[in-house]
Amino acid sequence: QLQLVESGGGLVQPGGSLRLSCAASGFTLESYAIGWFRQAPGKKREGVSCITNSGDSTDYADSVKGRFTISRDNVKNTVYLEMNSLKPEDTAVYYCATVRPFSLCVSMGAHYDFWGQGTQVTVSS
């Protein structure tokens, strides 16, 4: 009943942009800090970016700082990940999840109670 659904993935050329969405169903997203994570074939899942429940604080992996922006609209019950200047190494399945505590989100040391199904992002020329 409690579900997160990612959307917005697809094929994009290097240097291009995509905006991913994470929509909550069955609960109000405003009660949770939310993180974006990704997993490429043969690699471990890694934290990309996280945002507090109110949106007053964010965190990013070093590999995406300056290129990705996380935001949320609690009225729409949705968290977004704006990805700019995309690189081939950004290719992965991107997931969103609830996180606690926020401080351990990107490092993958937090608790992740609810996960979405993932959306594929492919960066290729």
Side-chain angles (χ1 to χ4, degrees), residues 8-27:
L11 176 64
V12 64
Q13 295 182 349
S17 300
L18 285 173
R19 189 178 76 161
L20 306 183
S21 298
C22 174
S25 178
F27 64 100

Side-chain angles (χ1 to χ4, degrees), residues 36-84:
W36 283 99
F37 311 87
R38 66 187 183 187
Q39 187 166 22
K43 295 185 177 181
K44 296 180 179 179
R45 187 170 298 185
E46 62 178 345
V48 176
S49 182
C50 300
I51 188 168
T52 56
N53 65 319
S54 65
D56 63 343
S57 185
T58 59
D59 197 13
Y60 298 90
D62 290 340
S63 60
V64 306
K65 286 182 179 178
R67 300 189 298 119
F68 290 10
T69 302
I70 191 171
S71 63
R72 67 189 301 156
D73 186 339
N74 286 336
V75 174
K76 295 182 178 180
N77 222 26
T78 303
V79 173
Y80 305 96
L81 184 68
E82 180 72 30
M83 304 185 296
N84 300 312

Side-chain angles (χ1 to χ4, degrees), residues 77-119:
N77 222 26
T78 303
V79 173
Y80 305 96
L81 184 68
E82 180 72 30
M83 304 185 296
N84 300 312
S85 302
L86 283 163
K87 305 174 181 179
E89 51 262 43
D90 295 319
T91 295
V93 177
Y94 283 70
Y95 303 87
C96 65
T98 61
V99 303
R100 55 184 176 89
F102 169 78
S103 61
L104 301 178
C105 181
V106 173
S107 68
M108 299 300 296
H111 296 275
Y112 312 98
D113 296 314
F114 303 102
W115 287 91
Q117 84 291 343
T119 185

